[in-house]
Amino acid sequence: MTRLRKTMLEELERRNFSQSTTRTYIRTVEDFARYFHRRPDQLGPAHIREYQAYLFTKRKLAANTVIQRLAALRFFFIKTLRKPWSVADTPYPKKTVRLPMILSQEEVAQLINAAETPFHRMLLMTAYATGLRRAELAHLKVSDIDSPRMVIHVQGGKGRKDRDVMLSPKLLEELRAYWRGLRRPPKVWLFPGNRWHTANHPITTKVVWSACREAAERAGITKPVHPHTLRHCFATHLLEAGADLRTIQVLLGHRDLEETTIYLHLSQKHLGETASPLDALSLSPSPANDRPRSKK
């Protein structure tokens, strides 16, 4: 391990950055240095601008991804190298805001029913019932299931924050039925790793991803489906059922309520209850015949 890499890792760990963010930041600096075939501490603002253009034009990365890469370089220059960073010299691109794809409740049921294995079925059911991120789902422990209080404890979520989410009675019933059918029920991790799901470590997030993709294919769902889709469905369907935004914000673990308001744009209930201004206009009846008059 180089001195620079070790120093950057220490700075990231001191600030309690998540493992995924740490990996992304380290890889970004390595890719930055590899692109110019030079040590990263020998590069400056002009190289950052060229690298940013390369990410857009050659790599075709989305604006939000480029913003993350720039945040990694900013951290490296300010916290590791102790050098100044000028936003004017390296402006961040405008963030792209896209509405996520939402499945109907019928489509979610089709997805869960099409799971390839009982293990995948439990993964998909738990993801939809709780709205957890895939890393949070993969790292659930048996001890996180608090059946007396009917909550699930989420430990070390995004931003290293703990929170509780509801424990669905139907999910609890399904989990118990699933455990009764296992030769070796899990003792630590709710979803243990390895082929037989008996390891002393949890599954990877790739397993959650594969479970979603394979079930969507088997169900014949043509919409793009990934683990975060079930999180979006959880929030949107809660909103449509009458839950308030503040409650949904807490359940999702959002820092800012503004992050949660995106689901107002996705809720059929809220869209259906909002009248178009056209409905308030007094218009004359449409002409019976719109054909042009013949010239004499």
Side-chain angles (χ1 to χ4, degrees), residues 203-231:
I203 57 170
T204 64
T205 56
K206 188 177 180 181
V207 175
V208 185
W209 185 280
S210 298
C212 278
R213 185 188 61 212
E214 291 166 8
E217 289 178 0
R218 289 163 63 92
I221 298 173
T222 56
K223 296 175 182 177
V225 178
H226 47 79
H228 225 71
T229 303
L230 291 175
R231 178 173 164 84

Side-chain angles (χ1 to χ4, degrees), residues 171-282:
L171 177 64
L172 180 59
E173 181 184 340
E174 292 277 351
L175 281 170
R176 284 173 171 168
Y178 173 71
W179 286 335
R180 284 195 296 268
L182 296 175
R183 291 183 180 177
R184 185 176 160 188
K187 293 183 179 179
V188 179
W189 301 103
L190 188 63
F191 301 114
N194 82 20
R195 182 180 177 184
W196 307 109
H197 307 298
T198 55
N200 58 0
H201 58 80
I203 57 170
T204 64
T205 56
K206 188 177 180 181
V207 175
V208 185
W209 185 280
S210 298
C212 278
R213 185 188 61 212
E214 291 166 8
E217 289 178 0
R218 289 163 63 92
I221 298 173
T222 56
K223 296 175 182 177
V225 178
H226 47 79
H228 225 71
T229 303
L230 291 175
R231 178 173 164 84
H232 293 317
C233 292
F234 165 84
T236 305
H237 296 165
L238 274 181
L239 189 63
E240 291 176 344
D244 61 273
L245 277 177
R246 172 58 183 158
T247 299
I248 296 172
Q249 176 196 358
V250 172
L251 290 172
L252 293 176
H254 284 168
R255 286 182 301 176
D256 195 324
L257 186 62
E258 187 177 350
E259 293 180 71
T260 318
T261 57
I262 190 174
Y263 297 108
L264 287 172
H265 299 283
L266 301 169
S267 167
Q268 287 185 340
K269 178 177 182 291
H270 287 77
L271 291 176
E273 291 178 352
T274 305
S276 166
L278 177 66
D279 298 332
L281 299 183
S282 298

Side-chain angles (χ1 to χ4, degrees), residues 69-82:
R69 301 294 176 87
L70 287 176
L73 294 179
R74 183 176 184 272
F75 182 93
F76 174 71
F77 275 85
I78 293 177
K79 304 300 182 184
T80 306
L81 299 183
R82 309 292 180 182

